Amino acid sequence: MKAAIYIRISTKKQNTDRQYEELKSYANSMGYTIVESYEDQISGFKDEEERHDLNRLKEDAKTEKFDIILFSELSRLSRKTTNILELISYFRDDCKKSLYFQKQNLNVTTDKSDLGSELQLNILATIGSYEIELSTERQMGGKIQKVKKQCWTHGSRPYGYNIDENKYLHINEEEATIIREIYAYYLNNMTSVQIAHLLNSRNIYAPATKNKKQNLWHPNSVCQILRAKRNIGIFEATYHEPDPKNKDKIRKRKNRKIVEEIKYTNKALAIVSDDIFYSANEKIDKNIKNKDTAKKNISLLKGLLTCGHCGSNFFYKKSGRDKDFSYVCYGSRYSFSIGKKKCINPITINAPKMDGLIIYMAKSRLLMRRLIENSDINIKSKEEQLQKNEEIILLQNLSIKKINEEFNQYIKKAIKYGIDDNITEKEHQRIKKQIRQIEENIERIKKENYSLNKQIKILSKDKCITDEMYNGMQLNEMKELFEEYIEKIVLYNTTQWVIVNVCYFDGSNEFSFLRKSARANELLHYNTIIQSVISEKQYIMLLRDYYDTLEIGNRYYYYPYYSNINNDVIYDKEREVFIKFGTKKGKETTEYTISEFIKFIYPKTMKEVTAYEYYYPNQKNE
Ligand SMILES: [Zn+2]
């Protein structure tokens, strides 16, 4: 049989070689002789009148020059479904030619007398469901061809290299010097955090990121450079089968089918020696191992503590002269992603002291079994809420189903009346957005239900803890008990005290205060703390500072937060109110409920400090 090949590329980027080679090998396998190939380079949305070679193909189809026309895929014929059907009908019925579409493995033969509706539907279904997939695959195919030619196809240029107009890499000497320095710093025992700070202080621009505004180095970008094999001239790329319908993020997908793995070495592009590269990487691996062992130190409250100022969790680390553990707000660390510290009032609190206070507070509560006393009413209302939530989820799921059905109806209509693909795509995006919103809603309610279930479980348990049991508990048993009853512990910072708000799963909460220790030799065993909390006159809090100061580098910044409080404040445990005394004689005292008080001391504003000032206050920012 004599065959004709039709190739169309919509942009200059797409590769004609690939389409041609694939069709040629198909023709060979079928024993066809290729007599002519037609090629257009034009957008599929334009009318075929403008497509020169398609018109030539249409003319030649009237003759006996060939018997079958090979296309790589349906969309090569046209992107409009009505046009595709018209063209198929023209070639098949008017010219008596067979057609073959490789990607869809679709044979349109001249056997039947008319283009059967079943076939028509098949074609339409194929176009509809595979179009997105095909376009992804098309792009990927072109990419693989390019990588094989040692071109750079991963978007923006890698740090240390320039890309020429043909997408070949060349070493950028200026950046290559920085890369060599990074390796040298790392091998001289600097950490990636220190290297990032150092480079930032030298005003060296970081590699371009998606967020173009930020030119600061991040420890991760330092690590990425240390890890990148391209620095010794090794280039690797793995291509997976595209799966556009999969909603998971690409990194999270499992068992992805590998289409092609490409690896090549180009020593002309090496920036550092193999020796330097491998010793740096060995060091990184070793450091990762050390990090894992550090994780094994279990803490009593780490998962429960929340910073009241920035909402961060706390980490647990050894610090101070006496090598005690501390809980430190995560927001106190310089956040490279936001360019400054996340927390404006970060807390570091001695861990044994904090643990002691919570052990003390929770004890009185758990032993009094207050949690269980009111549980019957609580359980009932929570179960009702749970039931309501389940109903909402059911309704939401139904509405997703309905939206999907409506969209299917719309697609049918769109095909029938030949509605423009652009409009259909817009509609599709709108529907997708709508569904995503509902799904997010469902996710939120499911989370709430999880928490409700947990609370019901706790409330239903008729657990009695005795004094003896409590005192004899091991740390991990205590941790388990806390995690069962305490939802979170929110900490608020003041100059000399940390306000501790313990929230229990039954919805109740308790306040307490912890003095920040200034004395280094203070003994910090649990027993002493319990006593010290009692001896400190039961929750009397003194806020003496009119202004709080924060020292950053050598500069002081004022917090005007406590300026409203210019006298002592006392917490009345019985009535659960804070009492603030008047400043002048005869002036009345003011009382605040707990929530009012938190609002009162909560930070409102702070002088804006740029990331640079924040970290390098001694140097000028140019
Ligand atoms: Zn914080």
Side-chain angles (χ1 to χ4, degrees):
M1 260 216 288
K2 288 177 289 181
I5 286 180
Y6 178 73
I7 291 165
R8 186 182 57 78
I9 48 169
S10 48
T11 59
K12 275 184 183 172
K13 282 178 186 171
Q14 280 177 359
N15 208 321
T16 49
D17 297 0
R18 191 173 57 87
Q19 285 181 43
Y20 183 79
E21 273 163 32
E22 281 171 5
L23 286 174
K24 197 176 147 194
S25 71
Y26 173 78
N28 285 343
S29 72
M30 298 298 288
Y32 299 155
T33 321
I34 296 166
V35 290
E36 179 84 61
S37 86
Y38 302 83
E39 191 178 309
D40 275 321
Q41 217 187 66
I42 207 154
S43 161
F45 288 104
K46 289 186 181 166
D47 291 338
E48 43 267 16
E49 280 74 37
E50 293 175 41
R51 287 156 59 177
H52 180 255
D53 263 24
L54 182 72
N55 290 332
R56 199 158 64 83
L57 178 72
K58 278 167 85 175
E59 280 305 306
D60 288 354
K62 290 177 186 165
T63 68
E64 298 295 315
K65 199 170 172 183
F66 46 80
D67 315 297
I68 183 165
I69 314 168
L70 311 179
F71 299 89
S72 69
E73 56 192 281
L74 271 167
S75 69
R76 298 291 154 185
L77 209 44
S78 171
R79 286 197 193 269
K80 283 187 181 157
T81 45
T82 42
N83 289 349
I84 292 178
L85 289 178
E86 266 170 34
L87 281 167
I88 290 176
S89 169
Y90 169 81
F91 287 124
R92 182 182 175 275
D93 302 332
D94 301 353
C95 307
K96 306 286 171 221
K97 303 291 178 215
S98 294
L99 306 171
Y100 172 72
F101 301 93
Q102 194 175 33
K103 276 285 151 66
Q104 286 80 20
N105 197 18
L106 186 70
N107 268 303
V108 181
T109 56
T110 48
D111 294 349
K112 280 185 189 167
S113 56
D114 69 339
L115 195 58
S117 57
E118 200 181 319
L119 177 62
Q120 210 178 80
L121 274 179
N122 272 342
I123 294 167
L124 291 175
T126 319
I127 301 166
S129 61
Y130 289 112
E131 184 45 47
I132 310 164
E133 200 165 313
L134 291 171
S135 72
T136 325
E137 215 167 273
R138 226 160 30 225
Q139 288 162 7
M140 200 175 75
K143 236 183 192 179
I144 291 173
Q145 274 315 63
K146 271 189 188 159
V147 173
K148 278 185 179 165
K149 287 179 189 163
Q150 307 202 353
C151 290
W152 181 259
T153 61
H154 305 285
S156 58
R157 67 184 185 88
Y159 192 78
Y161 300 88
N162 292 329
I163 312 179
D164 67 17
E165 56 200 7
N166 297 319
K167 298 276 174 196
Y168 287 106
L169 291 181
H170 301 278
I171 290 179
N172 174 330
E173 273 311 326
E174 210 175 302
E175 290 179 357
T177 313
I178 304 294
I179 290 179
R180 288 183 200 111
E181 280 177 23
I182 289 174
Y183 278 94
Y185 288 144
Y186 195 73
L187 289 172
N188 276 307
N189 296 327
M190 272 176 84
T191 65
S192 55
V193 179
Q194 287 169 334
I195 296 172
H197 279 311
L198 184 72
L199 295 172
N200 287 336
S201 72
R202 284 171 53 190
N203 278 341
I204 292 163
Y205 279 139
T209 49
K210 277 178 199 163
N211 183 1
K212 283 273 160 65
K213 281 180 203 162
Q214 204 180 347
N215 294 317
L216 289 175
W217 284 86
H218 188 281
N220 281 353
S221 36
V222 172
C223 284
Q224 271 163 16
I225 282 180
L226 291 169
R227 284 280 201 206
K229 281 189 181 169
R230 62 170 176 269
N231 291 331
I232 48 170
I234 295 175
F235 293 82
E236 288 171 330
T238 308
Y239 293 92
H240 299 270
E241 208 169 58
D243 186 6
K245 282 179 209 154
N246 195 333
K247 280 182 198 161
D248 292 346
K249 282 184 181 162
I250 284 175
R251 281 176 187 202
K252 285 187 178 170
R253 291 181 197 169
K254 282 170 193 165
N255 304 325
R256 298 175 69 207
K257 204 175 152 195
I258 292 171
V259 178
E260 187 116 27
E261 271 181 295
I262 302 166
K263 185 179 174 177
Y264 62 88
T265 311
N266 183 352
K267 277 291 165 194
L269 292 177
I271 289 175
V272 294
S273 71
D274 285 16
D275 210 27
I276 288 173
F277 178 84
Y278 286 111
S279 38
N281 274 275
E282 209 173 282
K283 211 170 163 190
I284 296 173
D285 292 336
K286 221 165 123 192
N287 286 344
I288 289 172
K289 245 188 200 169
N290 289 343
K291 239 186 192 171
D292 287 344
T293 48
K295 274 184 194 163
K296 280 174 195 157
N297 284 315
I298 55 159
S299 65
L300 185 65
L301 304 172
K302 194 182 151 202
L304 295 170
L305 296 176
T306 308
C307 175
H309 303 288
C310 70
S312 299
N313 292 331
F314 279 68
F315 63 93
Y316 189 60
K317 74 164 203 182
K318 234 177 199 170
S319 67
R321 247 181 297 170
D322 42 2
K323 293 280 175 201
D324 254 334
F325 274 98
S326 293
Y327 293 112
V328 187
C329 166
Y330 260 110
S332 69
R333 304 202 303 184
Y334 178 80
S335 163
F336 284 90
S337 59
I338 56 175
K340 59 180 177 187
K341 285 182 182 182
K342 187 185 171 194
C343 193
I344 46 171
N345 200 357
I347 303 164
T348 301
I349 188 86
N350 181 283
K353 208 171 176 180
M354 184 78 223
D355 293 352
L357 176 70
I358 302 300
I359 290 169
Y360 172 76
M361 283 172 77
K363 181 181 177 180
S364 58
R365 202 166 181 83
L366 297 179
L367 292 187
M368 278 158 63
R369 296 184 60 214
R370 241 192 274 169
L371 290 168
I372 300 151
E373 273 169 22
N374 305 324
S375 59
D376 280 352
I377 312 158
N378 254 330
I379 290 175
K380 216 183 159 195
S381 77
K382 284 189 199 313
E383 275 173 349
E384 276 166 10
Q385 183 64 40
L386 200 67
Q387 183 66 30
K388 255 185 222 161
N389 282 353
E390 292 292 348
E391 277 163 21
I392 294 171
I393 291 176
L394 206 73
L395 282 174
Q396 301 269 36
N397 275 327
L398 276 177
S399 66
I400 289 181
K401 209 176 155 193
K402 208 176 144 202
I403 291 168
N404 272 326
E405 271 166 14
E406 277 171 11
F407 185 62
N408 283 341
Q409 290 289 338
Y410 174 84
I411 287 288
K412 274 182 197 159
K413 227 167 83 186
I415 290 167
K416 200 170 166 190
Y417 298 111
I419 292 173
D420 194 293
D421 292 359
N422 280 332
I423 297 170
T424 311
E425 182 53 30
K426 259 186 203 155
E427 181 68 11
H428 188 210
Q429 289 303 334
R430 195 182 64 79
I431 297 279
K432 268 206 311 208
K433 199 176 160 194
Q434 209 177 342
I435 290 177
R436 210 182 305 131
Q437 273 171 356
I438 299 174
E439 279 173 345
E440 273 168 17
N441 216 5
I442 292 177
E443 200 58 34
R444 191 178 52 74
I445 298 170
K446 275 185 180 167
K447 263 186 199 159
E448 199 185 312
N449 279 1
Y450 170 77
S451 156
L452 281 170
N453 265 322
K454 201 171 169 185
Q455 291 168 32
I456 291 171
K457 207 180 111 197
I458 291 161
L459 290 169
S460 315
K461 222 188 258 178
D462 188 27
K463 202 180 212 173
C464 181
I465 306 156
T466 63
D467 214 336
E468 255 173 38
M469 274 166 72
Y470 195 81
N471 290 341
M473 268 184 189
Q474 299 291 313
L475 189 73
N476 55 346
E477 287 174 316
M478 191 74 92
K479 194 177 161 80
E480 248 171 54
L481 186 76
F482 283 178
E483 276 166 7
E484 214 174 303
Y485 286 93
I486 300 172
E487 191 191 353
K488 59 182 178 183
I489 302 165
V490 189
L491 303 183
Y492 299 90
N493 211 1
T494 72
T495 358
Q496 294 168 45
W497 296 81
V498 169
I499 305 175
V500 183
N501 179 14
V502 185
C503 306
Y504 295 92
F505 267 119
D506 68 347
S508 64
N509 66 77
E510 248 185 333
F511 274 88
S512 185
F513 308 97
L514 202 60
R515 191 185 243 286
K516 290 195 212 166
S517 172
R519 283 175 294 170
N521 58 358
E522 192 179 355
L523 280 175
L524 295 165
H525 299 298
Y526 293 153
N527 288 335
T528 357
I529 291 136
I530 293 166
Q531 279 165 13
S532 82
V533 169
I534 299 165
S535 67
E536 281 178 21
K537 289 178 192 164
Q538 291 261 359
Y539 315 115
I540 292 175
M541 192 173 76
L542 304 166
L543 293 171
R544 288 211 177 87
D545 305 53
Y546 308 149
Y547 288 96
D548 204 354
T549 52
L550 169 71
E551 188 185 345
I552 303 162
N554 294 328
R555 290 185 186 187
Y556 284 91
Y557 294 97
Y558 286 109
Y559 280 80
Y561 312 142
Y562 309 131
S563 60
N564 293 337
I565 306 170
N566 44 19
N567 217 320
D568 295 353
V569 176
I570 289 175
Y571 180 63
D572 185 334
K573 207 188 165 199
E574 286 299 304
R575 291 163 55 222
E576 296 194 328
V577 287
F578 288 92
I579 304 164
K580 180 178 154 290
F581 295 104
T583 43
K584 284 169 192 164
K585 260 189 184 173
K587 208 179 176 188
E588 280 178 31
T589 56
T590 325
E591 288 184 4
Y592 300 93
T593 64
I594 289 162
S595 59
E596 277 169 355
F597 188 73
I598 293 296
K599 254 185 223 161
F600 185 60
I601 61 157
Y602 199 83
K604 282 172 195 129
T605 49
M606 187 189 168
K607 192 188 158 209
E608 278 289 319
V609 186
T610 66
Y612 197 85
E613 267 185 307
Y614 216 98
Y615 262 81
Y616 310 102
N618 297 326
Q619 291 167 39
K620 272 190 181 172
N621 190 4
E622 281 147 7

